[in-house]
Amino acid sequence: MLLLRCPLPLLLLLLPLSSRPQKLPTRDEELFQMQIRDKAFFHDSSVIPDGAEISSYLFRDTPKRYFFVVEEDNTPLAVTVTPCDAPLEWKLSVQELPEEASGEGSGDPEPLEQQKQQITNEEGTELFSYKGNDVEYFVSSSSPSGLYQLDLLSTEKDTHFKVYATTTPESDQPYPELPYDPRIDVTSLGRTTVTLAWKPSPTASLLRQPIQYCIVINKEHNFKSLCAVEAKLSSDDAFMMAPKPGLDFSPFDFAHFGFPADNNAGKERGFLKSPKFGRQTSPKPRVDLHRVCIGNKNIFTVSDLKPDTQYYFDMFAVNTNTNMSTAYVGTFARTKEEAKQKTVELKDGKVTDVFIKRKGAKFLRFAPVSSHQKVTFSIHSCLDVVQIQVRRDGKLLLSQSVEGVRQFQLRGKAKAKYLIRLKGSKKGASMLKILATTRPNKQSFPSLPEDTRIKAFDKLRTCSSVTVAWLGTQERNKFCIYKREVDDNYNEEQKKREQNQCLGPDTRKKSEKVLCKYFHSQNIQKAVTTETIRGLQPGKSYLLDVYVIGHGGHSVKYQSKLVKTRKFC
């Protein structure tokens, strides 16, 4: 009941060619370990091995197909595809294995190319398909026997990717498990340093497997996988140059694996220890991306940063036995200004990201260049409640607590200067977005109703659907609704630990999207819309999120709603 481990020509020769069926070989663990050590065994192979992650390369608009065999019905199966530096289109399908050859009972094997054409010309039954750059997977507790085909395509550019498949997903568990709170906390912030802390992976704390943590720091964006980090680091390096047509990147060549080489490179399978951050952490100085692996510690201070600069931090838990990794929820932070710069200047009509450490405060200054009758401050608090105070020429005009999105409109004054004080939460670090403008029509954040809850109709629940409603406004906005299946013990406390509210629908998996639509009503009393979400499983819990997207492209998430379908209908 295992995936076949042999090159495609050998796979085709092993298919039954005579009138008497032949059983396909199963996994010989000792032989398999020997084959893994022999890098040439899987080089240029179209066969996916069982329980081992392979790395390969796609040329743009040139599809690639992989095969594996499941010998018996009701076999568990899990397939994971990890895009690296470009979105992928991939499809998994299955077709029945031929039981007899067409050799008219002679028992003579058919020519190899004829066998290959006989198998690969059939499309088979599609099981799963996906398009995007998320780490996506197919899992089945009971798969039919047959020849499985994995088709991959990159339409944007040449790219690397990784594939992992197994028929023993429960026992293998090669990817480290994330803790119940997978966020990275910024515990200390300086002008040139940021201290990060995170909860350990249960794979290390409970299962006692060797886990090390790798931190990635850059100024552009967060990464969804370590594979994407490696692709960025090696974009100007010879480590993962495009192979010649017809040759795959050797899936077991872990000599570098995206990390700086040392004298023992290539001798052992496993992550190489990276030097300390700030020294030799990337192959090319011009790549503005740094990575450091710190062993099993769960607190680390990043140093040698630039003052008043926003950085993005990603954390990856790496199983050193399997070389496979899982991403924590990334975060960002802006380092403190130089001592002489005590306030941040706000520009009229421009959204500014603000980070405030626990119990800390941040000062901002807004000085309109022209005369104005009114000034508007729009604030979107990403995590917890923040306090805002606004003074005009020393006079206190506003003192409020802000949760979610709030807008304040104040009377203007010629040549006035506004000082804004933002105070963070006592519970932890705060992140927010703020916009100041003297133009009343400049609204980067979408308007919101006073009540941003999602209502579920209990009487309309079925075994496969739920019906929900939410309020809109008089302004025409785009609304997108997403669903995610969660465990039955998922509770309100866990909802609070979700990633920050400023992350929009672009951070969600494409498979979680239900629909998007435009909605508004001139009569505010009738600004309500309903949706029935179908295709759900009986007796399952789902977390529903509604995003409203404004004209400026900024999105705001309504309060998440936990629903459960009926178990019996």
Side-chain angles (χ1 to χ4, degrees), residues 17-29:
L17 301 173
S18 63
S19 59
R20 182 173 61 85
Q22 304 173 20
K23 185 177 180 181
L24 293 170
T26 57
R27 169 165 161 176
D28 183 323
E29 191 63 30

Side-chain angles (χ1 to χ4, degrees), residues 99-313:
E99 295 185 359
E100 295 183 0
S102 57
E104 298 182 357
S106 64
D108 296 327
E110 294 178 349
L112 180 60
E113 288 302 315
Q114 187 175 343
Q115 301 168 36
K116 185 175 181 179
Q117 185 177 4
Q118 177 186 358
I119 297 174
T120 59
N121 278 354
E122 298 182 18
E123 281 298 320
T125 302
E126 181 176 321
L127 300 177
F128 184 81
S129 63
Y130 174 74
K131 181 179 180 180
N133 60 354
D134 283 319
V135 179
E136 194 57 83
Y137 52 88
F138 167 83
V139 178
S140 174
S141 59
S142 179
S143 296
S145 63
L147 178 67
Y148 285 72
Q149 297 174 183
L150 178 64
D151 298 284
L152 302 105
L153 176 68
S154 173
T155 58
E156 286 192 9
K157 62 178 181 177
D158 300 349
T159 183
H160 293 87
F161 65 93
K162 294 176 182 291
V163 176
Y164 172 79
T166 180
T167 53
T168 54
E170 291 297 326
S171 59
D172 283 6
Q173 297 183 351
Y175 296 98
E177 185 181 352
L178 289 177
Y180 70 93
D181 183 358
R183 295 181 301 178
I184 306 170
D185 294 323
V186 178
T187 60
S188 177
L189 189 66
R191 289 189 293 272
T192 61
T193 61
V194 173
T195 299
L196 307 172
W198 57 96
K199 293 179 173 57
S201 165
T203 305
S205 58
L206 299 179
L207 302 180
R208 302 298 180 184
Q209 293 189 26
I211 296 296
Q212 76 167 341
Y213 300 98
C214 295
I215 302 173
V216 174
I217 307 102
N218 78 105
K219 300 178 185 177
E220 296 178 4
H221 56 77
N222 291 109
F223 287 88
K224 297 182 178 181
S225 69
L226 195 55
C227 179
V229 175
E230 293 158 3
K232 178 72 172 179
L233 280 172
S234 58
S235 58
D236 297 317
D237 191 60
F239 156 60
M240 291 181 83
M241 291 183 64
K244 296 179 181 179
L247 291 179
D248 288 347
F249 175 74
S250 175
F252 296 106
D253 186 3
F254 295 116
H256 293 79
F257 206 70
F259 287 78
D262 63 20
N263 295 332
N264 296 320
K267 292 184 180 180
E268 293 181 347
R269 180 182 179 188
F271 270 59
L272 303 178
K273 292 188 176 180
S274 177
K276 292 183 178 180
F277 177 75
R279 297 182 184 176
Q280 217 173 356
T281 52
S282 67
K284 297 282 185 177
R286 65 170 176 258
V287 177
D288 194 13
L289 175 70
H290 300 276
R291 178 204 43 237
V292 55
C293 295
I294 60 170
N296 58 5
K297 296 187 296 182
N298 64 336
I299 186 169
F300 184 74
T301 298
V302 184
S303 58
D304 298 330
L305 302 177
K306 293 182 179 179
D308 194 24
T309 303
Q310 181 160 300
Y311 289 91
Y312 294 85
F313 303 93

